[in-house]
């Protein structure tokens, strides 16, 4: 069948089961958008307010559904506006295919209007990328892009297509997508046996779960593994929901804003089993003091992550779900009552706490969790709002906290919220933002109203860049350089101007009724919650210190902060 390049793009998307695309048209990609118009009954395209919003929406769609997210943009500024979203997906190993169009082949390298070497720009932040100059290469390249994005350690792939390649014709034949096979080729029996011996000898094991377990859909295997070896479980931001937050063995997040129980427990354990984690500096703190009494057993699909940041005693390379399935078959239940009871006592001694006399970020999140019974999908921006969402919402399932962990992208949440809702119309989807983050990409509220996507946008407004101010307060002598926003923006009126419902909350007693009303409306809603500018995130580990030095608000004076 002889088709144009643009027609081949659409047929390849249909081959891959793609029915949702986020993007923004422009001159060089017009041929593809013309074909999208003809196939609107098969592929729904969401026009975002900005290309960055498209990449974040595709990311949120991918994280929440497990499918590949797809975004599109034209050449020049269109493609460069995708870069932050691509980098966000790369840092968090999210399967994404970004399709861009460039100037015609004869104009490449001549500084033509809106020409950019987007392949060169994105090389460090993609799993792989391509430029297609010949229409005959287009179908096989797109198929390869989807295969790469989903296999092994997942990640974003960019395909740039010259405009003439979208217009020229080539033979196209339908091909069924190749099956994505879980990575097992590097799982060695010797490594499995070493791991089993380490677990058997351990008296105080602790499990650390990260994004690799989420990506691998290994929640069932992690929970069985933890129960069999009687080990407490903590997680990273990316691992939320892999372990049911209500499980007695679950101790909360590890790291800079992790719980005291997780930080102190990992510092006491004799074996730390790290499942799908990369030992980020925000998790590890000062690496010399990290889990200093423990041997480290690391399980990861990416061999490059082994011994990269933390030296391991042993490791297993392979898909997390496959590795744990093998271990679970070989492990018999072992009781470690003394250790688990000690951890349970720590949970009682060191609960998360916040002020109960004023409206605070934690209270808002905790109330939201109560109303939704922990069954919503939560997206976040970055900073205090993100940490409170991680600490005070109880995640029962994976793929329900959608947040920028590695890159820390302010402006991520609203686009991701739209993408997550599009992929999960049957679930409530709420974006938690600070006022500083919301300003970054608040134009995407117009996308939600354009398509009547029923999301709830919560803006926790403290009139400052909260997390940066917190650091300035604790470590920079209260010199608040450029962090006091003093906006004159009325977020409620802004929401209404964009076609959404808007509500303002200033008191604790207003939170629950307004949240319930917003969720019941089933339309785009913004809720502005005004809190104190010095509401802080605790517990905390100071930069470059060991996680065992974790402190809460009541420890400030002893730590020399007052």
């Amino acid at each position: 069948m002889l088709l144009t390049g643009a027609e081949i793009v659409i047929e390849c998307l249909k081959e891959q089961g793609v029915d949702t695309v986020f993007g923004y048209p422009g001159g060089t990609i017009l041929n593809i958008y013309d074909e999208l118009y003809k196939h609107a009954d098969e592929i729904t395209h969401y026009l975002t307010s900005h290309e960055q919003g498209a990449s974040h929406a595709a990311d949120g769609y991918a994280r929440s559904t497990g499918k590949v997210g797809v975004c599109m943009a034209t050449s020049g500024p269109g493609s460069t506006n995708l870069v932050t979203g691509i980098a966000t997906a790369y840092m968090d190993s999210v399967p994404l295919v970004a399709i861009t169009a460039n100037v015609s082949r004869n104009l490449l390298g001549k500084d033509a209007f809106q020409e950019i070497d987007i392949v060169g720009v994105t090389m460090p932040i993609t799993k792989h990328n391509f430029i297609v100059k010949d229409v005959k290469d287009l179908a096989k390249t797109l198929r390869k892009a989807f295969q790469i994005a989903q296999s092994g350690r997942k990640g974003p792939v960019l395909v740039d297509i010259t405009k003439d390649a979208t217009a020229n014709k080539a033979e196209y034949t339908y091909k069924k997508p190749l099956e994505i096979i879980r990575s097992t080729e590097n799982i060695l029996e010797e490594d499995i046996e070493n791991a089993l011996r380490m677990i058997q000898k351990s008296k105080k094991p602790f499990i650390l779960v990260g994004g690799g377990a989420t990506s691998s859909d290994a929640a069932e295997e992690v929970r069985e593994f933890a129960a069999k070896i009687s080990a407490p479980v903590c997680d990273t931001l990316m691992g939320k929901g892999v372990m049911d937050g209500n499980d007695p063995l679950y101790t909360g997040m590890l790291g800079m804003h992790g719980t005291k129980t997780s930080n102190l427990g990992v510092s006491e354990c004799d074996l730390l089993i790290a499942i799908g984690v990369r030992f980020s500096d925000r998790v590890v703190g000062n690496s010399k003091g990290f889990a200093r009494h423990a041997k480290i057993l690391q399980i990861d699909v990416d061999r490059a992550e082994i011994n990269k940041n933390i030296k391991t005693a042993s490791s297993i390379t392979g898909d997390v779900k496959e590795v744990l399935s093998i271990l679970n078959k070989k492990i018999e239940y072992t009781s470690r009552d003394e250790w688990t009871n000690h951890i349970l006592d720590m949970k009682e001694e060191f609960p998360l706490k916040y002020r109960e006399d004023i409206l605070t970020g934690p209270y808002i999140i905790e109330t939201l969790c109560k109303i939704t019974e922990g069954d919503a999908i939560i997206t976040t921006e970055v900073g205090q709002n993100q940490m409170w969402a991680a600490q005070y919402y109880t995640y029962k399932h994976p793929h329900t906290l959608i947040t920028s962990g590695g890159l820390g992208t302010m402006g991520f949440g609203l686009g991701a919220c739209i993408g997550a809702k599009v992929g999960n119309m049957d679930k409530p989807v709420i974006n938690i933002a600070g006022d500083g983050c919301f300003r970054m990409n608040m134009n995407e509220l117009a996308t939600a109203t354009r398509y009547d996507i029923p999301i709830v946008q919560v803006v926790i407004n403290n009139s400052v860049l909260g997390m940066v101010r917190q650091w300035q307060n604790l470590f920079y002598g209260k010199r608040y350089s450029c962090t006091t926003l003093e906006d004159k923006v009325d977020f409620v009126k802004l929401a209404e101007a964009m076609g959404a419902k808007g509500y303002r909350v200033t008191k604790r007693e207003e939170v629950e009724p307004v949240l319930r009303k917003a969720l019941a409306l089933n339309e785009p809603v913004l809720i502005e919650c005004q809190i104190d500018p010095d509401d802080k995130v605790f517990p905390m580990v100071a930069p470059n210190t060991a996680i065992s030095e974790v402190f809460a608000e009541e420890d400030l004076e002893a730590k020399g902060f007052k």
Side-chain angles (χ1 to χ4, degrees), residues 530-550:
Q530 296 179 342
I531 68 167
D532 189 274
D534 282 315
D535 194 0
K536 294 183 176 64
V537 179
F538 290 109
M540 185 174 187
V541 177
N544 302 314
T545 62
I547 59 171
S548 58
E549 297 297 313
V550 60

Side-chain angles (χ1 to χ4, degrees), residues 181-372:
I181 299 172
R182 292 180 178 273
S183 179
T184 59
E185 65 274 13
N186 293 317
I187 302 176
L188 305 178
E189 185 63 30
E190 179 185 356
D191 294 339
I192 294 290
E193 293 303 319
N194 281 340
L196 290 170
R197 282 192 294 270
M198 292 175 72
I199 293 166
Q200 187 177 28
K201 289 180 181 179
S202 171
K203 294 182 179 180
K204 298 187 290 184
F206 217 113
I207 297 170
L208 170 60
V209 177
T214 305
S215 182
S216 180
D217 289 318
E220 184 179 339
E221 289 75 14
V222 167
R223 296 175 189 192
E224 180 183 350
F225 181 64
K228 278 195 166 185
I229 70 172
S230 298
V233 181
C234 61
D235 55 22
T236 69
L237 202 56
M238 295 290 97
K240 285 285 173 187
V242 172
M243 194 69 175
D244 186 341
N246 294 305
D247 194 300
L249 286 172
Y250 177 69
T251 63
M253 194 165 62
L254 183 72
M256 181 170 281
H257 292 293
T259 64
K260 277 193 171 184
T261 303
S262 292
N263 285 330
L264 297 176
V266 165
S267 299
E268 289 181 22
C269 74
D270 62 11
L271 174 64
L272 180 63
I273 305 168
I275 302 174
V277 304
R278 56 188 180 84
F279 291 115
S280 159
D281 58 299
R282 289 297 171 99
V283 170
V284 168
N286 187 316
S287 60
K288 292 178 182 178
F290 180 73
R292 54 183 173 269
H293 301 299
K295 292 182 178 179
I296 309 292
L297 169 61
Q298 188 174 0
I299 302 169
D300 204 283
V301 72
D302 187 356
R303 187 187 291 274
E305 290 297 338
I306 308 296
N307 294 317
K308 186 178 83 173
N309 293 327
I310 293 293
K311 182 71 175 175
T312 64
S314 189
S315 62
I316 306 172
T317 303
D319 181 88
V320 164
K321 189 179 183 75
E322 295 295 324
V323 171
L324 290 177
S325 295
I326 295 168
L327 289 174
N328 284 338
K329 289 175 184 176
K330 294 177 177 285
I331 290 173
E332 293 185 2
Y333 173 76
T334 303
S335 175
R336 293 180 170 89
D337 290 345
E338 184 179 351
W339 172 237
T340 53
N341 286 336
H342 171 60
I343 296 300
L344 289 173
D345 289 343
M346 288 176 69
K347 286 177 69 173
E348 288 288 326
E349 185 180 357
F350 302 121
L352 290 171
K353 292 187 289 187
Y354 60 87
R355 286 184 62 180
E356 296 185 6
D357 58 328
I358 59 171
L359 177 59
T360 64
Y363 177 76
I364 296 162
I365 304 299
E366 204 171 63
T367 305
L368 179 62
C369 186
K370 181 184 80 171
I371 292 170
T372 60

Side-chain angles (χ1 to χ4, degrees), residues 387-451:
M387 294 299 101
W388 288 325
Q391 292 174 331
Y392 289 94
Y393 196 94
T394 303
Y395 299 92
K396 301 190 291 187
H397 310 288
H399 306 288
T400 53
L401 174 61
I402 313 298
T403 191
S404 172
L407 197 64
T409 305
M410 292 176 69
F412 167 80
L414 181 50
C417 186
I418 290 168
K421 184 62 179 180
V422 165
N424 301 269
M425 281 297 192
D426 59 329
K427 297 178 183 177
V429 183
I430 301 103
N431 184 46
I432 308 298
D435 50 317
C437 287
F438 180 64
R439 296 190 314 168
M440 292 276 184
N441 280 324
M442 60 188 179
N443 51 354
E444 294 306 334
L445 200 57
T447 305
T449 57
R450 179 184 300 117
Y451 296 102

Side-chain angles (χ1 to χ4, degrees), residues 20 22 46 48-67 69-71 84-86 88-89 92 94 96 238 376-382 385-386 399-405 408-425 427-433 437-438 440-445 447-448 453-457:
T20 304
F22 305 90
Y46 290 89
T48 53
S49 299
H50 189 282
E51 291 90 351
Q52 188 180 137
S55 57
H56 293 329
D59 183 315
Y61 178 90
R63 295 192 204 217
S64 62
T65 64
K67 301 175 183 178
V70 179
C71 57
T84 298
I86 293 170
T88 301
D92 290 342
V94 178
L96 192 76
M238 295 290 97
I377 294 174
I378 304 297
T379 66
T380 81
E381 300 294 346
V382 170
N385 65 88
Q386 178 185 39
H399 306 288
T400 53
L401 174 61
I402 313 298
T403 191
S404 172
T409 305
M410 292 176 69
F412 167 80
L414 181 50
C417 186
I418 290 168
K421 184 62 179 180
V422 165
N424 301 269
M425 281 297 192
K427 297 178 183 177
V429 183
I430 301 103
N431 184 46
I432 308 298
C437 287
F438 180 64
M440 292 276 184
N441 280 324
M442 60 188 179
N443 51 354
E444 294 306 334
L445 200 57
T447 305
I453 301 170
I455 61 167
V456 176
Q457 168 66 65

